[in-house]
Amino acid sequence: QRTRRLILEALEPRQLLAAFTWTGGGGDDDWSNALNWDGPAGEIPDDGTDDITLNVDDTIVLNKALTIGDITLEDDETDIDLNGNNLTVDNVTVEGGAAVGNVLNIINNRAAATLTTANISVEGDAHDARFEISGGVTLAGDSVTVGGNADNEFRVEGGGIATVDSIDAGGPGFDSMATGSIHVEGDGSTLTVNGNIRLGTAGGEGDLFVNNKGTLIVDTIQAGQSDGGNSRRGFVTVGAGATMAATLQAAGIGSGDD
């Protein structure tokens, strides 16, 4: 009788993507309470493959450092309180859904904490959308895009500190009258951009405001972009007591309809 030898090969471990939606059904604001999440039973988003969706007016408080996948705010206003803990996220998206005033606030009521993310996209269409950080929060990111068919904002205020590689602000097309704006406001609020800020990049108007002792440090600001003979405007406003260190370039101004 012939004997056959079986050869078993170990496979690489695979992680399944998990989706969670905040409901607040646990009766508190604790991220680590599984009853606050609609997702896999008894679990919370605490893995780099876990994506979360936010669509209620609420505050969520971290009680430990976490690494997750993506955060998408679809509707309403949500505060994420880092509570002295670092949060690492793949991508952050703020949409302007059915609600008016769609805002994702990253706050911190304890010792300094950092939000680290590759990309931030503020893309309200039906209604305006806003992403903001405030005092005690340090943002470390790659790119920020402020677009969409509504008036959308990226804000660093109240002593928040942000360092990113690039920012594009403007609507999605040359027929859009949408505005994408960047705001650096408040004593101690600092935005450092390692590359460029481009205003009006996708056709809609792009605005930059540095006010109330805010500080902006950037290599180059390209204000106004053109495409095929059309252009949109880029405005830069520096208020009293604010500081801006940048090279300003005007591109496409006056070559189009607006």
Side-chain angles (χ1 to χ4, degrees):
Q1 184 176 0
R2 179 176 296 178
T3 301
R4 294 184 178 181
R5 177 181 299 176
L6 297 178
I7 300 175
L8 302 179
E9 181 180 355
L11 299 177
E12 295 181 358
R14 294 188 178 183
Q15 294 179 310
L16 298 178
L17 298 176
F20 294 83
T21 299
W22 177 266
T23 65
D28 57 30
D29 54 11
D30 187 354
W31 181 300
S32 296
N33 183 352
L35 296 177
N36 283 324
W37 296 99
D38 179 13
E43 298 184 18
I44 65 169
D46 61 357
D47 185 89
T49 61
D50 294 340
D51 296 338
I52 71 171
T53 299
L54 309 174
N55 51 29
V56 294
D57 186 356
D58 212 344
T59 297
I60 309 173
V61 180
L62 270 68
N63 58 21
K64 62 180 180 179
L66 289 174
T67 296
I68 63 171
D70 296 343
I71 295 178
T72 301
L73 184 136
E74 292 182 338
D75 286 308
D76 233 309
E77 180 172 355
T78 298
D79 293 349
I80 296 180
D81 183 356
L82 299 183
N83 194 32
N85 300 289
N86 296 333
L87 177 62
T88 301
V89 183
D90 285 343
N91 302 288
V92 176
T93 302
V94 184
E95 301 174 351
V100 177
N102 304 279
V103 183
L104 178 58
N105 299 307
I106 308 299
I107 63 176
N108 183 38
N109 289 320
R110 297 188 65 183
T114 299
L115 170 67
T116 302
T117 183
N119 303 293
I120 296 173
S121 179
V122 188
E123 52 186 39
D125 281 325
H127 293 96
D128 301 347
R130 183 169 83 242
F131 173 88
E132 64 182 54
I133 67 168
S134 56
V137 177
T138 298
L139 168 67
D142 293 337
S143 66
V144 175
T145 302
V146 189
N149 283 308
D151 293 333
N152 301 305
E153 300 178 354
F154 171 80
R155 286 182 168 269
V156 179
E157 57 186 22
I161 298 173
T163 301
V164 300
D165 289 338
S166 64
I167 302 180
D168 286 355
F174 285 103
D175 292 330
S176 170
M177 292 305 294
T179 299
S181 60
I182 305 159
H183 300 256
V184 186
E185 299 187 359
D187 193 5
S189 300
T190 302
L191 172 60
T192 301
V193 183
N194 295 322
N196 297 334
I197 293 176
R198 301 194 302 166
L199 304 175
T201 50
E205 181 179 303
D207 296 338
L208 170 62
F209 301 92
V210 187
N211 290 314
N212 302 325
K213 299 183 179 180
T215 298
L216 172 66
I217 302 170
V218 58
D219 183 13
T220 301
I221 300 172
Q222 298 175 348
Q225 307 295 317
S226 63
D227 180 17
N230 297 312
S231 70
R232 289 295 187 194
R233 297 168 294 187
F235 290 96
V236 178
T237 301
V238 181
T243 302
M244 183 176 78
T247 297
L248 182 63
Q249 294 180 350
I253 300 298
S255 64
D257 300 328
D258 296 304

